[in-house]
Amino acid sequence: MNTNKFKKSQLAASVSLIIAASTFNFAYAAQENTAEPELEVIEVKGIRGSLIRSMDVKRDASGVVDAISAEEMGKFPDTNLAESLQRITGVSVSRSNGEGSQITVRGFGPSFNLVTLNGRQMAGTGFTRSFNFENLSSEGVSSLEVMKTARADTPTGGLGATVNIVTAKPLQKPGQRFSLMAKGIHDTSVEEGDEVTPEIAGIYSNTFADEKFGFSANFSYHRRDFQRQSANVRSWLVNPNLSVDAENIIDNRPMDADGNPAKQFFEPISGEYISAAFFPQEVSFAKDDIKRERLNAQATFQFAPTDNLTFTLDHTISQATTGNNSLSWGIWNGSFGGNANAYELDENGTAIYYNSAGDDASFTAFRETAEVDSKATGINVEWLATENLSFNFDAHTSKTTTDNGKDPGLNSNARIILGSADLSTKEYSFREGDVPGFNINWNNGTQEVSPNQIGSNFSIFTRTPGESEVSQVQLDGKLFTYTDIGLETVKFGAAYTKQTLSGWGGSNNANSPGFGNGTFAEIFPDAMFERVDLSGFLDEFSFGPNGVAPGYAYTYDLDEAFARQSAYLTEDVVGSDVYQIGNFDNFPVNEVEEETISVYLSSNWAFNVSDYDVFVNLGLRYEETDIVSPAKSRVAEQVYWAGGAEWITQFASGGDFVEVDYEGQYDLLLPMIDIKVDLTDDLVTRASWGQTITRPTLGDMLGNLSLTPSPKLNSRSGSRGNPNLKPFKSTNLDLSLEYYYSEGSYAAIGLFWKDVDDWIDKTNIKTTFEGLHDVYLGQRWNNAVAAIEARGDQATDTAIRDEIVANGVGIGENDRILPDPATDPLIEWTIESPENVGKRKVNGFEFAVQHLFGDSGFGAGFNATVVDGDVEYDNYYLASQAVLAGLSDSANLQGFYEKDGLSVKITGAWRDEYLIAQGLPDSGATAPPQYAKEYLQWDISVNYEVNESTTVFFEGVNLTNETERSFSRFESQFLSAAQYGPRYAFGVRYSMGN
């Protein structure tokens, strides 16, 4: 335990008692200054102390609030803030690269939760408001507060919850204190990186000049090298037009009385029930070697010239750089049609076997260096104007920039695809095992391609930088009333928030895709390719009887492949399809600017009713928001067929744009009331009613129209934004009962209901655009199919293309097949647009228990959340739906022992199956779901105090090597499987002044 002394005035002591009795005192509220008399406070450290402080926050709060407190200076319970948050009832995490990344609260995913830093709204990453916790170190964080019910005095945006990250300030704990930590991380998955990578961190705090000045600073550097092994299916297409003889079909679907497949699926465009068959567009495997570096730092200056006035200036930076070198290999089934030879469908219509000709098989090298750079600067002034009145002024700006083009050689990310179309047939198979496989029957008479057959397919170079900025000014006041009618405090305030977001860039295809110009296999020597045996690949999953298929892959150096194609595929060889990265300056800049003015009034009351102490928080918040989205859209001139499965949208070469300014506006009135009743000294009940909102994602409000640059068959798609969207608006009711039966021990149960108006969903419309004609099923296409079949040949896409080229009508450079406005129909595009579509309901209950076993050193905790609502995806409805991604049950368990300098803690986090999102590439209006399989992860930490200043520790993450899997409408519609492996860390921490 740690003993600190401080001085406290009579006024401050009275104020503290009032606040403790009536309202939750957030860490960013006015700090109380100190004077005589002198009191002694015993601070409990370690796991036990953290749990006690968190429980006290929950008990004293107005509304439903949970918190996690740092065990001591510089030591948060988990190395990742998202991993810490998942210990809170109702909070579960989504994972990225095997780490907690973003949070879901009570079934509401990342976009429904607002994250603030010391009460300030932070800039998000990408066209989203979501904060990515993996980019922020836990060093310097003193607590995390999760507010699940409405509060008039907090910024809006957290329909699920508002999470406030509270950092340490020097004047809160006077004197000199510091902590240094160093550890080595071993990720068992690593192959290409270092076996052990470093993490170092430190925090320093001190006060000067009779505690009038304070300074604190913290920093951390983290590096992790690891490998991700994965299998993936890009998309599942519904009812592609196949020509297959009946004897080559096995159909296990239920049949109707007429012997036809039962019509189980509803197709809303036609308004009819139909039978459906689903086919995999692509299957691929990948090895990603990833290096990730994260640097965080924060400096805080405080000046308190008088006991009534405190100035605080702080600056926070965060930089995360992720480098990825990967190899993937797979087959493309995207053409379907006459390419199909045989298939087998299971009972729900999913292809578990598919044999086809045509298309190609490829080996892809990918490299990307992406950087997320965040900076935030703020100033805060706390002024105790009178004994009864205080003010808090806060102003800050926060900016986040993202750029995936930080590769110093390419200034973009690169996807170089080499392969061969020299195959007779290819097979997809998922009849057994956890992961599907594929085999190819090559024209060389084997199931393995030779290096001399591998040529240039195509390359994609992408760069999409973005910038998000938030500027915010807030003025809050608090009046202590001391009335006889129960009114104790009145809080009031106003704020102005401006958020801007911009992004630009896109993808350039190098060399006309799809082997349309020939494979140029001669420019790649056999020695460039290294054959890799895959016998140990994805060993945490089961495959069919022959193991992973295929059992090999070819790897090659991306830079060499790029250099050879750049040197050979010049204008003299391929005309205008010269192989080059291209220019990213001709892409439109997308922008959204949002301004919000808000005012609020909140009051705290205390009564005694029938010998029960009753506390009431009553508040009202008004907000007015204006949105402007200057939109610039590229002008599409035509869509041509480049060959194989590749179709290209050709945009105006002069970089012409259509420019339009879109505007939107809405205002809100949000009431709330919290009632807390102390039934006994240990038993507390609460009722909270209020309205909260989540604003539309910034990406949804972009006004521009965007058509896909690669409109493959069955995927002629585009999107547009909607600046006139209204926010999700939820009316919430919470009821809870909490029993605090011992120090650090409690049990609680809560019920919640959320009725959400103005639900936002993506809707799809079918439309055409004048001048954009479709080669597919045009007169030339149909004539070619008829001629090929008349000869008794299979009308594959390659055969159709060759036939059209031979006829010589509408043929462009490099045998492109150009649209013929006289005989080709207009392309029917599926355009996705976000709209407010109605109401949805979510409800559930939470249970939590935390118990400290006296002075034994043992403790345990368990919590669970069960959620339900009319927001679940209907797998038999073939269109976009107003659903809630992330809705799932969850549970957390922890047990620990802490005594005599030794602490051991083991934690388990479980999340049930949930919907990740809806919509897959090239899926059009059918908007298929993406489900994540249930997941359970066990972690452990062991700390031993060598002496009062030095602690050595061990950490183990994902001890049982859990894997991640996803699927579409049914589990047989495989989407992905990934494994990372456990990781371990050993370290030492040196602290003084805790």
Side-chain angles (χ1 to χ4, degrees), residues 314-335:
D314 57 74
H315 182 66
T316 304
I317 63 171
S318 172
Q319 185 180 82
T321 304
T322 304
N324 184 358
N325 281 281
S326 75
L327 167 72
S328 62
W329 57 98
I331 56 174
W332 178 261
N333 292 329
S335 298

mmCIF file with all atom_site columns, all heavy atoms in Angstrom, residues 314-335:
data_model
loop_
_atom_site.group_PDB
_atom_site.id
_atom_site.type_symbol
_atom_site.label_atom_id
_atom_site.label_alt_id
_atom_site.label_comp_id
_atom_site.label_asym_id
_atom_site.label_entity_id
_atom_site.label_seq_id
_atom_site.pdbx_PDB_ins_code
_atom_site.Cartn_x
_atom_site.Cartn_y
_atom_site.Cartn_z
_atom_site.occupancy
_atom_site.B_iso_or_equiv
_atom_site.pdbx_formal_charge
_atom_site.auth_seq_id
_atom_site.auth_comp_id
_atom_site.auth_asym_id
_atom_site.auth_atom_id
_atom_site.pdbx_PDB_model_num
ATOM 1   N N   . ASP A 1 314 ? -1.918  20.445  -22.702 1.00 0.00 ? 314 ASP A N   1
ATOM 2   C CA  . ASP A 1 314 ? -1.413  19.102  -22.995 1.00 0.00 ? 314 ASP A CA  1
ATOM 3   C C   . ASP A 1 314 ? -1.311  18.874  -24.490 1.00 0.00 ? 314 ASP A C   1
ATOM 4   O O   . ASP A 1 314 ? -2.031  19.482  -25.290 1.00 0.00 ? 314 ASP A O   1
ATOM 5   C CB  . ASP A 1 314 ? -2.289  18.027  -22.362 1.00 0.00 ? 314 ASP A CB  1
ATOM 6   C CG  . ASP A 1 314 ? -3.736  18.113  -22.790 1.00 0.00 ? 314 ASP A CG  1
ATOM 7   O OD1 . ASP A 1 314 ? -4.039  17.755  -23.936 1.00 0.00 ? 314 ASP A OD1 1
ATOM 8   O OD2 . ASP A 1 314 ? -4.578  18.537  -21.965 1.00 0.00 ? 314 ASP A OD2 1
ATOM 9   N N   . HIS A 1 315 ? -0.403  18.003  -24.847 1.00 0.00 ? 315 HIS A N   1
ATOM 10  C CA  . HIS A 1 315 ? -0.185  17.649  -26.250 1.00 0.00 ? 315 HIS A CA  1
ATOM 11  C C   . HIS A 1 315 ? 0.044   16.147  -26.323 1.00 0.00 ? 315 HIS A C   1
ATOM 12  O O   . HIS A 1 315 ? 0.849   15.585  -25.585 1.00 0.00 ? 315 HIS A O   1
ATOM 13  C CB  . HIS A 1 315 ? 1.024   18.385  -26.822 1.00 0.00 ? 315 HIS A CB  1
ATOM 14  C CG  . HIS A 1 315 ? 1.264   18.095  -28.282 1.00 0.00 ? 315 HIS A CG  1
ATOM 15  N ND1 . HIS A 1 315 ? 0.395   18.483  -29.274 1.00 0.00 ? 315 HIS A ND1 1
ATOM 16  C CD2 . HIS A 1 315 ? 2.285   17.447  -28.912 1.00 0.00 ? 315 HIS A CD2 1
ATOM 17  C CE1 . HIS A 1 315 ? 0.861   18.096  -30.445 1.00 0.00 ? 315 HIS A CE1 1
ATOM 18  N NE2 . HIS A 1 315 ? 2.013   17.458  -30.257 1.00 0.00 ? 315 HIS A NE2 1
ATOM 19  N N   . THR A 1 316 ? -0.700  15.485  -27.226 1.00 0.00 ? 316 THR A N   1
ATOM 20  C CA  . THR A 1 316 ? -0.639  14.033  -27.358 1.00 0.00 ? 316 THR A CA  1
ATOM 21  C C   . THR A 1 316 ? -0.329  13.677  -28.802 1.00 0.00 ? 316 THR A C   1
ATOM 22  O O   . THR A 1 316 ? -0.905  14.260  -29.727 1.00 0.00 ? 316 THR A O   1
ATOM 23  C CB  . THR A 1 316 ? -1.988  13.392  -26.968 1.00 0.00 ? 316 THR A CB  1
ATOM 24  O OG1 . THR A 1 316 ? -2.350  13.802  -25.646 1.00 0.00 ? 316 THR A OG1 1
ATOM 25  C CG2 . THR A 1 316 ? -1.905  11.882  -27.017 1.00 0.00 ? 316 THR A CG2 1
ATOM 26  N N   . ILE A 1 317 ? 0.585   12.730  -28.994 1.00 0.00 ? 317 ILE A N   1
ATOM 27  C CA  . ILE A 1 317 ? 0.879   12.254  -30.341 1.00 0.00 ? 317 ILE A CA  1
ATOM 28  C C   . ILE A 1 317 ? 0.822   10.737  -30.360 1.00 0.00 ? 317 ILE A C   1
ATOM 29  O O   . ILE A 1 317 ? 1.084   10.065  -29.357 1.00 0.00 ? 317 ILE A O   1
ATOM 30  C CB  . ILE A 1 317 ? 2.260   12.726  -30.850 1.00 0.00 ? 317 ILE A CB  1
ATOM 31  C CG1 . ILE A 1 317 ? 3.387   12.146  -29.984 1.00 0.00 ? 317 ILE A CG1 1
ATOM 32  C CG2 . ILE A 1 317 ? 2.341   14.228  -30.918 1.00 0.00 ? 317 ILE A CG2 1
ATOM 33  C CD1 . ILE A 1 317 ? 4.774   12.392  -30.564 1.00 0.00 ? 317 ILE A CD1 1
ATOM 34  N N   . SER A 1 318 ? 0.461   10.197  -31.506 1.00 0.00 ? 318 SER A N   1
ATOM 35  C CA  . SER A 1 318 ? 0.415   8.749   -31.707 1.00 0.00 ? 318 SER A CA  1
ATOM 36  C C   . SER A 1 318 ? 0.746   8.474   -33.162 1.00 0.00 ? 318 SER A C   1
ATOM 37  O O   . SER A 1 318 ? 0.183   9.108   -34.060 1.00 0.00 ? 318 SER A O   1
ATOM 38  C CB  . SER A 1 318 ? -0.966  8.193   -31.364 1.00 0.00 ? 318 SER A CB  1
ATOM 39  O OG  . SER A 1 318 ? -1.066  6.828   -31.737 1.00 0.00 ? 318 SER A OG  1
ATOM 40  N N   . GLN A 1 319 ? 1.686   7.566   -33.381 1.00 0.00 ? 319 GLN A N   1
ATOM 41  C CA  . GLN A 1 319 ? 2.036   7.185   -34.743 1.00 0.00 ? 319 GLN A CA  1
ATOM 42  C C   . GLN A 1 319 ? 2.149   5.673   -34.815 1.00 0.00 ? 319 GLN A C   1
ATOM 43  O O   . GLN A 1 319 ? 2.878   5.057   -34.041 1.00 0.00 ? 319 GLN A O   1
ATOM 44  C CB  . GLN A 1 319 ? 3.348   7.833   -35.176 1.00 0.00 ? 319 GLN A CB  1
ATOM 45  C CG  . GLN A 1 319 ? 3.698   7.563   -36.634 1.00 0.00 ? 319 GLN A CG  1
ATOM 46  C CD  . GLN A 1 319 ? 4.997   8.216   -37.049 1.00 0.00 ? 319 GLN A CD  1
ATOM 47  O OE1 . GLN A 1 319 ? 6.071   7.694   -36.801 1.00 0.00 ? 319 GLN A OE1 1
ATOM 48  N NE2 . GLN A 1 319 ? 4.892   9.381   -37.676 1.00 0.00 ? 319 GLN A NE2 1
ATOM 49  N N   . ALA A 1 320 ? 1.410   5.083   -35.718 1.00 0.00 ? 320 ALA A N   1
ATOM 50  C CA  . ALA A 1 320 ? 1.442   3.633   -35.912 1.00 0.00 ? 320 ALA A CA  1
ATOM 51  C C   . ALA A 1 320 ? 1.772   3.348   -37.373 1.00 0.00 ? 320 ALA A C   1
ATOM 52  O O   . ALA A 1 320 ? 1.101   3.854   -38.276 1.00 0.00 ? 320 ALA A O   1
ATOM 53  C CB  . ALA A 1 320 ? 0.105   3.009   -35.539 1.00 0.00 ? 320 ALA A CB  1
ATOM 54  N N   . THR A 1 321 ? 2.797   2.556   -37.587 1.00 0.00 ? 321 THR A N   1
ATOM 55  C CA  . THR A 1 321 ? 3.224   2.188   -38.935 1.00 0.00 ? 321 THR A CA  1
ATOM 56  C C   . THR A 1 321 ? 3.165   0.677   -39.075 1.00 0.00 ? 321 THR A C   1
ATOM 57  O O   . THR A 1 321 ? 3.725   -0.053  -38.243 1.00 0.00 ? 321 THR A O   1
ATOM 58  C CB  . THR A 1 321 ? 4.650   2.685   -39.218 1.00 0.00 ? 321 THR A CB  1
ATOM 59  O OG1 . THR A 1 321 ? 4.717   4.100   -39.004 1.00 0.00 ? 321 THR A OG1 1
ATOM 60  C CG2 . THR A 1 321 ? 5.053   2.372   -40.652 1.00 0.00 ? 321 THR A CG2 1
ATOM 61  N N   . THR A 1 322 ? 2.485   0.216   -40.106 1.00 0.00 ? 322 THR A N   1
ATOM 62  C CA  . THR A 1 322 ? 2.327   -1.213  -40.344 1.00 0.00 ? 322 THR A CA  1
ATOM 63  C C   . THR A 1 322 ? 2.834   -1.548  -41.729 1.00 0.00 ? 322 THR A C   1
ATOM 64  O O   . THR A 1 322 ? 2.366   -0.982  -42.721 1.00 0.00 ? 322 THR A O   1
ATOM 65  C CB  . THR A 1 322 ? 0.853   -1.637  -40.224 1.00 0.00 ? 322 THR A CB  1
ATOM 66  O OG1 . THR A 1 322 ? 0.359   -1.258  -38.937 1.00 0.00 ? 322 THR A OG1 1
ATOM 67  C CG2 . THR A 1 322 ? 0.714   -3.136  -40.390 1.00 0.00 ? 322 THR A CG2 1
ATOM 68  N N   . GLY A 1 323 ? 3.799   -2.455  -41.785 1.00 0.00 ? 323 GLY A N   1
ATOM 69  C CA  . GLY A 1 323 ? 4.320   -2.931  -43.051 1.00 0.00 ? 323 GLY A CA  1
ATOM 70  C C   . GLY A 1 323 ? 3.887   -4.367  -43.295 1.00 0.00 ? 323 GLY A C   1
ATOM 71  O O   . GLY A 1 323 ? 3.944   -5.200  -42.388 1.00 0.00 ? 323 GLY A O   1
ATOM 72  N N   . ASN A 1 324 ? 3.454   -4.663  -44.501 1.00 0.00 ? 324 ASN A N   1
ATOM 73  C CA  . ASN A 1 324 ? 2.944   -5.991  -44.829 1.00 0.00 ? 324 ASN A CA  1
ATOM 74  C C   . ASN A 1 324 ? 3.569   -6.466  -46.133 1.00 0.00 ? 324 ASN A C   1
ATOM 75  O O   . ASN A 1 324 ? 3.471   -5.798  -47.162 1.00 0.00 ? 324 ASN A O   1
ATOM 76  C CB  . ASN A 1 324 ? 1.420   -5.950  -44.951 1.00 0.00 ? 324 ASN A CB  1
ATOM 77  C CG  . ASN A 1 324 ? 0.807   -7.322  -45.186 1.00 0.00 ? 324 ASN A CG  1
ATOM 78  O OD1 . ASN A 1 324 ? 1.504   -8.316  -45.302 1.00 0.00 ? 324 ASN A OD1 1
ATOM 79  N ND2 . ASN A 1 324 ? -0.509  -7.379  -45.268 1.00 0.00 ? 324 ASN A ND2 1
ATOM 80  N N   . ASN A 1 325 ? 4.246   -7.604  -46.076 1.00 0.00 ? 325 ASN A N   1
ATOM 81  C CA  . ASN A 1 325 ? 4.709   -8.302  -47.269 1.00 0.00 ? 325 ASN A CA  1
ATOM 82  C C   . ASN A 1 325 ? 3.990   -9.639  -47.315 1.00 0.00 ? 325 ASN A C   1
ATOM 83  O O   . ASN A 1 325 ? 4.106   -10.434 -46.376 1.00 0.00 ? 325 ASN A O   1
ATOM 84  C CB  . ASN A 1 325 ? 6.217   -8.523  -47.227 1.00 0.00 ? 325 ASN A CB  1
ATOM 85  C CG  . ASN A 1 325 ? 6.989   -7.279  -47.594 1.00 0.00 ? 325 ASN A CG  1
ATOM 86  O OD1 . ASN A 1 325 ? 7.118   -6.946  -48.761 1.00 0.00 ? 325 ASN A OD1 1
ATOM 87  N ND2 . ASN A 1 325 ? 7.489   -6.577  -46.591 1.00 0.00 ? 325 ASN A ND2 1
ATOM 88  N N   . SER A 1 326 ? 3.253   -9.893  -48.380 1.00 0.00 ? 326 SER A N   1
ATOM 89  C CA  . SER A 1 326 ? 2.463   -11.112 -48.395 1.00 0.00 ? 326 SER A CA  1
ATOM 90  C C   . SER A 1 326 ? 2.547   -11.819 -49.740 1.00 0.00 ? 326 SER A C   1
ATOM 91  O O   . SER A 1 326 ? 2.837   -11.201 -50.777 1.00 0.00 ? 326 SER A O   1
ATOM 92  C CB  . SER A 1 326 ? 0.997   -10.816 -48.065 1.00 0.00 ? 326 SER A CB  1
ATOM 93  O OG  . SER A 1 326 ? 0.342   -10.223 -49.163 1.00 0.00 ? 326 SER A OG  1
ATOM 94  N N   . LEU A 1 327 ? 2.300   -13.103 -49.677 1.00 0.00 ? 327 LEU A N   1
ATOM 95  C CA  . LEU A 1 327 ? 2.152   -13.940 -50.864 1.00 0.00 ? 327 LEU A CA  1
ATOM 96  C C   . LEU A 1 327 ? 0.805   -14.616 -50.778 1.00 0.00 ? 327 LEU A C   1
ATOM 97  O O   . LEU A 1 327 ? 0.438   -15.165 -49.737 1.00 0.00 ? 327 LEU A O   1
ATOM 98  C CB  . LEU A 1 327 ? 3.257   -15.001 -50.913 1.00 0.00 ? 327 LEU A CB  1
ATOM 99  C CG  . LEU A 1 327 ? 3.025   -16.133 -51.932 1.00 0.00 ? 327 LEU A CG  1
ATOM 100 C CD1 . LEU A 1 327 ? 3.206   -15.614 -53.348 1.00 0.00 ? 327 LEU A CD1 1
ATOM 101 C CD2 . LEU A 1 327 ? 3.949   -17.310 -51.659 1.00 0.00 ? 327 LEU A CD2 1
ATOM 102 N N   . SER A 1 328 ? 0.051   -14.583 -51.864 1.00 0.00 ? 328 SER A N   1
ATOM 103 C CA  . SER A 1 328 ? -1.218  -15.307 -51.920 1.00 0.00 ? 328 SER A CA  1
ATOM 104 C C   . SER A 1 328 ? -1.322  -16.042 -53.246 1.00 0.00 ? 328 SER A C   1
ATOM 105 O O   . SER A 1 328 ? -0.656  -15.686 -54.228 1.00 0.00 ? 328 SER A O   1
ATOM 106 C CB  . SER A 1 328 ? -2.406  -14.361 -51.735 1.00 0.00 ? 328 SER A CB  1
ATOM 107 O OG  . SER A 1 328 ? -2.456  -13.394 -52.761 1.00 0.00 ? 328 SER A OG  1
ATOM 108 N N   . TRP A 1 329 ? -2.134  -17.064 -53.260 1.00 0.00 ? 329 TRP A N   1
ATOM 109 C CA  . TRP A 1 329 ? -2.293  -17.865 -54.478 1.00 0.00 ? 329 TRP A CA  1
ATOM 110 C C   . TRP A 1 329 ? -3.718  -18.395 -54.508 1.00 0.00 ? 329 TRP A C   1
ATOM 111 O O   . TRP A 1 329 ? -4.319  -18.670 -53.477 1.00 0.00 ? 329 TRP A O   1
ATOM 112 C CB  . TRP A 1 329 ? -1.282  -19.008 -54.505 1.00 0.00 ? 329 TRP A CB  1
ATOM 113 C CG  . TRP A 1 329 ? -1.350  -19.928 -53.320 1.00 0.00 ? 329 TRP A CG  1
ATOM 114 C CD1 . TRP A 1 329 ? -1.976  -21.133 -53.239 1.00 0.00 ? 329 TRP A CD1 1
ATOM 115 C CD2 . TRP A 1 329 ? -0.773  -19.695 -52.020 1.00 0.00 ? 329 TRP A CD2 1
ATOM 116 N NE1 . TRP A 1 329 ? -1.838  -21.668 -51.987 1.00 0.00 ? 329 TRP A NE1 1
ATOM 117 C CE2 . TRP A 1 329 ? -1.100  -20.813 -51.213 1.00 0.00 ? 329 TRP A CE2 1
ATOM 118 C CE3 . TRP A 1 329 ? -0.021  -18.662 -51.459 1.00 0.00 ? 329 TRP A CE3 1
ATOM 119 C CZ2 . TRP A 1 329 ? -0.711  -20.923 -49.885 1.00 0.00 ? 329 TRP A CZ2 1
ATOM 120 C CZ3 . TRP A 1 329 ? 0.366   -18.768 -50.139 1.00 0.00 ? 329 TRP A CZ3 1
ATOM 121 C CH2 . TRP A 1 329 ? 0.027   -19.893 -49.365 1.00 0.00 ? 329 TRP A CH2 1
ATOM 122 N N   . GLY A 1 330 ? -4.280  -18.501 -55.716 1.00 0.00 ? 330 GLY A N   1
ATOM 123 C CA  . GLY A 1 330 ? -5.662  -18.948 -55.783 1.00 0.00 ? 330 GLY A CA  1
ATOM 124 C C   . GLY A 1 330 ? -6.173  -19.037 -57.196 1.00 0.00 ? 330 GLY A C   1
ATOM 125 O O   . GLY A 1 330 ? -5.445  -18.845 -58.175 1.00 0.00 ? 330 GLY A O   1
ATOM 126 N N   . ILE A 1 331 ? -7.481  -19.331 -57.293 1.00 0.00 ? 331 ILE A N   1
ATOM 127 C CA  . ILE A 1 331 ? -8.152  -19.451 -58.583 1.00 0.00 ? 331 ILE A CA  1
ATOM 128 C C   . ILE A 1 331 ? -9.310  -18.462 -58.642 1.00 0.00 ? 331 ILE A C   1
ATOM 129 O O   . ILE A 1 331 ? -9.873  -18.075 -57.613 1.00 0.00 ? 331 ILE A O   1
ATOM 130 C CB  . ILE A 1 331 ? -8.674  -20.889 -58.818 1.00 0.00 ? 331 ILE A CB  1
ATOM 131 C CG1 . ILE A 1 331 ? -9.607  -21.323 -57.671 1.00 0.00 ? 331 ILE A CG1 1
ATOM 132 C CG2 . ILE A 1 331 ? -7.519  -21.859 -58.982 1.00 0.00 ? 331 ILE A CG2 1
ATOM 133 C CD1 . ILE A 1 331 ? -10.278 -22.665 -57.917 1.00 0.00 ? 331 ILE A CD1 1
ATOM 134 N N   . TRP A 1 332 ? -9.661  -18.088 -59.873 1.00 0.00 ? 332 TRP A N   1
ATOM 135 C CA  . TRP A 1 332 ? -10.760 -17.143 -60.111 1.00 0.00 ? 332 TRP A CA  1
ATOM 136 C C   . TRP A 1 332 ? -11.872 -17.864 -60.858 1.00 0.00 ? 332 TRP A C   1
ATOM 137 O O   . TRP A 1 332 ? -11.645 -18.473 -61.901 1.00 0.00 ? 332 TRP A O   1
ATOM 138 C CB  . TRP A 1 332 ? -10.247 -15.959 -60.923 1.00 0.00 ? 332 TRP A CB  1
ATOM 139 C CG  . TRP A 1 332 ? -11.322 -14.962 -61.248 1.00 0.00 ? 332 TRP A CG  1
ATOM 140 C CD1 . TRP A 1 332 ? -12.020 -14.835 -62.405 1.00 0.00 ? 332 TRP A CD1 1
ATOM 141 C CD2 . TRP A 1 332 ? -11.816 -13.948 -60.379 1.00 0.00 ? 332 TRP A CD2 1
ATOM 142 N NE1 . TRP A 1 332 ? -12.930 -13.816 -62.320 1.00 0.00 ? 332 TRP A NE1 1
ATOM 143 C CE2 . TRP A 1 332 ? -12.830 -13.240 -61.074 1.00 0.00 ? 332 TRP A CE2 1
ATOM 144 C CE3 . TRP A 1 332 ? -11.518 -13.565 -59.066 1.00 0.00 ? 332 TRP A CE3 1
ATOM 145 C CZ2 . TRP A 1 332 ? -13.525 -12.188 -60.529 1.00 0.00 ? 332 TRP A CZ2 1
ATOM 146 C CZ3 . TRP A 1 332 ? -12.218 -12.503 -58.525 1.00 0.00 ? 332 TRP A CZ3 1
ATOM 147 C CH2 . TRP A 1 332 ? -13.202 -11.822 -59.247 1.00 0.00 ? 332 TRP A CH2 1
ATOM 148 N N   . ASN A 1 333 ? -13.077 -17.805 -60.300 1.00 0.00 ? 333 ASN A N   1
ATOM 149 C CA  . ASN A 1 333 ? -14.236 -18.434 -60.937 1.00 0.00 ? 333 ASN A CA  1
ATOM 150 C C   . ASN A 1 333 ? -15.222 -17.407 -61.467 1.00 0.00 ? 333 ASN A C   1
ATOM 151 O O   . ASN A 1 333 ? -16.368 -17.732 -61.729 1.00 0.00 ? 333 ASN A O   1
ATOM 152 C CB  . ASN A 1 333 ? -14.980 -19.321 -59.924 1.00 0.00 ? 333 ASN A CB  1
ATOM 153 C CG  . ASN A 1 333 ? -14.177 -20.543 -59.513 1.00 0.00 ? 333 ASN A CG  1
ATOM 154 O OD1 . ASN A 1 333 ? -13.394 -21.064 -60.284 1.00 0.00 ? 333 ASN A OD1 1
ATOM 155 N ND2 . ASN A 1 333 ? -14.361 -20.985 -58.279 1.00 0.00 ? 333 ASN A ND2 1
ATOM 156 N N   . GLY A 1 334 ? -14.796 -16.173 -61.605 1.00 0.00 ? 334 GLY A N   1
ATOM 157 C CA  . GLY A 1 334 ? -15.751 -15.088 -61.776 1.00 0.00 ? 334 GLY A CA  1
ATOM 158 C C   . GLY A 1 334 ? -16.562 -15.096 -63.047 1.00 0.00 ? 334 GLY A C   1
ATOM 159 O O   . GLY A 1 334 ? -17.601 -14.448 -63.120 1.00 0.00 ? 334 GLY A O   1
ATOM 160 N N   . SER A 1 335 ? -16.132 -15.817 -64.079 1.00 0.00 ? 335 SER A N   1
ATOM 161 C CA  . SER A 1 335 ? -16.865 -15.718 -65.343 1.00 0.00 ? 335 SER A CA  1
ATOM 162 C C   . SER A 1 335 ? -18.100 -16.605 -65.368 1.00 0.00 ? 335 SER A C   1
ATOM 163 O O   . SER A 1 335 ? -19.111 -16.269 -65.978 1.00 0.00 ? 335 SER A O   1
ATOM 164 C CB  . SER A 1 335 ? -15.936 -16.088 -66.503 1.00 0.00 ? 335 SER A CB  1
ATOM 165 O OG  . SER A 1 335 ? -14.865 -15.182 -66.569 1.00 0.00 ? 335 SER A OG  1
#
